[in-house]
Amino acid sequence: MSGWSERRTRPGVLAGLRDQLRDVLGARVLDSEAVRDQHSRDEAFHQALPDLVAFPQTAEEIASILRACKAYECPVTPWGAGTSLEGNALASQGGLCLSLARMDRILSVDSEDMLVVVEAGVRRLQLDGELKGTGLFFPIDPGADATLGGMAATRASGTTAVKYGTMRENVLSCTVVLADGRIVRTRSRAPKSAAGYDLTGLFVGSEGTLGIISDLTLRLRPVPECVATLVCGFDDLAQAVGCVVDTMQLGLPVLRIEFMDAAMAIAINAFAKLALPETATLLVELSGGPSEVKETQAVFAAVMAERGGNLIGTETTAEGRSALWKGRHNALYASRAQRPGGKVLITDVCVPISQLTQCLVETRADLNRSSLPATIAGHVGDGNFHAFICVDPDNAAEIEEAEALHFRMAERAIRCGGTCTGEHGIGLGKKRLLELELGAATPLLADIKRALDPSGILNPDKVFDMPLR
């Protein structure tokens, strides 16, 4: 650790910053052990304790906070809902945790332009509730009830990305507070623009290392007229993944196409009380008009049969589909429940669809050789899949083995022309892999970081190592 990790032992400096911030935020700056602990862990096994936690309510307050932290050379780590998986939002050098939880207003819903403006702390399910009855919805569904600012910061995607894309395609613009306190808007509300650099794209996926997103303008989509979810079982993993590849190469208009290996199907059945086939399983969701869904299902059924699959069931009611997807979204908790008291290292890679079968089969074989229990699930329609590796958090040898499995899985994906992360981001856990993937392009990221945050106060340690000045 650099700079602040040494200075955090100087209580006078910390007290001075706290008092200055309280002049701006009052009681919304806290240093109690309980609040700090609440903001010290994410959904994986990373953990880091901040020194202070602040709860701004406006972009102007964020600007005041950043100016003060720059003066004190204090690290600032933005926090959404704590659902990240790579330590993206943890204060690994101490300092200030800047929680966006109280910036949770939905500012406007524009049905005609199919846009919504939200503050960064608005949660995904909160927005879903606000949009009911409008005929529109926000399509990005990572499973967790994450904040939309956090989803933008990590360039999240999830089960519907195969049809609607990721946060990159669905954030039109955002307001960002820079490290020096400047407040900027990244672009206009026009459907497309060729004006200047793509500043929105720069900040979406930057994990809070370049600026703090305070609000976002998001694209909305029409609610599909008809939706059907198919449950399909296969005798082996390669057959199931081959069916996915065939489906995508045919251009079938699927809304979601999710894979679970046998171990994951067993875990989800036990946790969510479902009756999935306890073999390689696909959940395939189709949407559109009734005739379109019927025609697509007939073509998919033929593709599935050629790959040796069986249609186990079809859900068309909202309640039935919700139960299936709730089970799939709880894959982390289902995997964790297989080993009470354990933690889960969750990997995340994405490969070209032509390489999906080979990469996934080799990954499962590598996991089978391990002593650790592991499951696989994935948004395989766009080549993205995850392994959930259960470890004893107090067993250093197990953690080392899990990290070695993770490294080999990511290295394999990169060798196949893919990426070490399709949606989780780099955070603390994938920095070495980022260099392996980008090679000579990696220093360009550091150049951009230095240009926007020369003191290195914004979410240090994440994406790549750059010490405080």
Side-chain angles (χ1 to χ4, degrees):
M1 301 293 180
S2 66
W4 178 258
S5 61
E6 298 169 1
R7 284 191 292 271
R8 65 186 293 183
T9 60
R10 294 166 56 188
V13 171
L14 186 62
L17 174 62
R18 181 193 60 209
D19 292 345
Q20 184 171 337
L21 293 179
R22 283 181 175 168
D23 287 342
V24 178
L25 277 73
R28 289 181 281 122
V29 178
L30 301 171
D31 58 4
S32 70
E33 184 175 350
V35 172
R36 293 164 60 215
D37 182 69
Q38 182 185 352
H39 294 81
S40 71
R41 57 178 64 85
D42 61 11
E43 288 282 18
F45 59 79
H46 305 94
Q47 189 165 353
L49 196 68
D51 294 303
L52 297 171
V53 182
F55 297 88
Q57 293 178 335
T58 66
E60 289 73 21
E61 287 185 346
I62 295 174
S64 296
I65 291 168
L66 293 187
R67 284 192 290 267
C69 288
K70 183 180 179 183
Y72 281 91
E73 294 189 345
C74 170
V76 181
T77 304
W79 177 274
T83 57
S84 56
L85 297 167
E86 293 292 345
N88 317 70
L90 299 186
S92 55
Q93 290 194 24
L96 178 76
C97 173
L98 193 153
S99 171
L100 283 302
R102 300 191 190 184
M103 295 184 65
D104 60 353
R105 294 181 300 161
I106 297 171
L107 300 176
S108 67
V109 178
D110 187 338
S111 298
E112 291 186 348
D113 286 331
M114 295 196 297
L115 298 174
V116 62
V117 183
V118 300
E119 291 185 324
V122 171
R123 296 233 187 173
R124 184 179 64 85
L125 295 181
Q126 176 189 351
L127 179 58
D128 284 352
E130 180 73 16
L131 295 175
K132 285 190 185 302
T134 65
L136 300 170
F137 78 115
F138 182 65
I140 306 304
D141 179 11
D145 188 21
T147 62
L148 292 157
M151 288 168 60
T154 54
R155 203 183 297 130
S157 54
T159 59
T160 58
V162 65
K163 179 169 184 176
Y164 296 111
T166 71
M167 287 297 284
R168 181 184 64 186
E169 291 78 29
N170 289 280
V171 178
L172 181 68
S173 67
C174 49
T175 300
V176 181
V177 187
L178 302 181
D180 60 7
R182 283 180 291 166
I183 302 173
V184 298
R185 189 75 182 165
T186 59
R187 59 156 289 176
S188 72
R189 288 166 55 98
K192 65 180 183 179
S193 173
Y197 300 134
D198 181 8
L199 294 179
T200 305
L202 179 64
F203 289 104
V204 173
S206 65
E207 302 187 34
T209 62
L210 304 180
I212 309 295
I213 296 172
S214 63
D215 68 58
L216 312 94
T217 301
L218 305 173
R219 303 179 192 271
L220 302 178
R221 307 300 175 101
V223 174
E225 181 183 358
C226 178
V227 181
T229 304
L230 317 180
V231 182
C232 315
F234 296 80
D235 290 336
D236 66 46
L237 182 154
Q239 288 178 325
V241 181
C243 178
V244 173
V245 174
D246 293 346
T247 299
M248 300 314 299
Q249 290 177 342
L250 281 172
L252 293 185
V254 294
L255 173 58
R256 313 191 222 207
I257 184 163
E258 293 287 307
F259 168 79
M260 293 172 279
D261 70 356
M264 180 61 83
I266 290 168
I268 288 177
N269 280 345
F271 185 82
K273 304 298 185 285
L274 296 179
L276 300 172
E278 296 191 339
T279 61
T281 300
L282 295 180
L283 295 183
V284 182
E285 192 156 87
L286 312 174
S287 66
S291 61
E292 180 186 5
V293 170
K294 185 176 180 180
E295 291 169 7
T296 303
Q297 183 171 344
V299 177
F300 175 78
V303 173
M304 178 184 62
E306 285 186 11
R307 287 289 184 172
N310 297 295
L311 181 61
I312 307 302
T314 302
E315 286 288 354
T316 57
T317 67
E319 295 79 8
R321 289 187 294 105
S322 177
L324 286 173
W325 291 113
K326 184 177 180 181
R328 167 61 186 90
H329 287 325
N330 283 330
L332 166 60
Y333 308 112
S335 298
R336 187 183 294 166
Q338 298 289 290
R339 190 174 184 185
K343 292 283 189 179
V344 178
L345 186 151
I346 310 168
T347 66
D348 162 45
V349 300
C350 186
V351 297
I353 198 73
S354 63
Q355 303 298 307
L356 181 61
T357 302
Q358 175 188 342
C359 194
L360 216 157
V361 168
E362 290 181 6
T363 297
R364 183 64 262 182
D366 197 19
L367 295 173
N368 289 343
R369 291 188 290 268
S370 167
S371 65
L372 302 174
T375 57
I376 293 179
H379 321 309
V380 283
D382 53 13
N384 186 198
F385 68 93
H386 316 271
F388 300 72
I389 306 169
C390 296
V391 297
D392 176 352
D394 299 319
N395 187 320
E398 288 195 3
I399 293 175
E400 182 179 358
E401 182 179 354
E403 289 177 342
L405 287 166
H406 174 208
F407 185 85
R408 291 197 296 271
M409 177 177 168
E411 187 179 38
R412 184 181 303 114
I414 293 168
R415 194 167 60 247
C416 290
T419 176
C420 66
T421 177
E423 57 187 9
H424 291 175
I426 297 298
L428 292 167
K430 293 180 180 281
K431 289 186 286 188
R432 182 164 61 124
L433 291 165
L434 179 69
E435 293 184 13
L436 182 66
E437 180 177 331
L438 295 185
T442 309
L444 294 177
L445 304 183
D447 290 343
I448 295 170
K449 168 72 170 174
R450 290 188 186 94
L452 292 176
D453 180 21
S455 298
I457 65 168
L458 291 177
N459 211 6
D461 286 344
K462 313 310 183 326
V463 186
F464 49 81
D465 293 318
M466 178 180 150
L468 286 164
R469 186 178 61 188

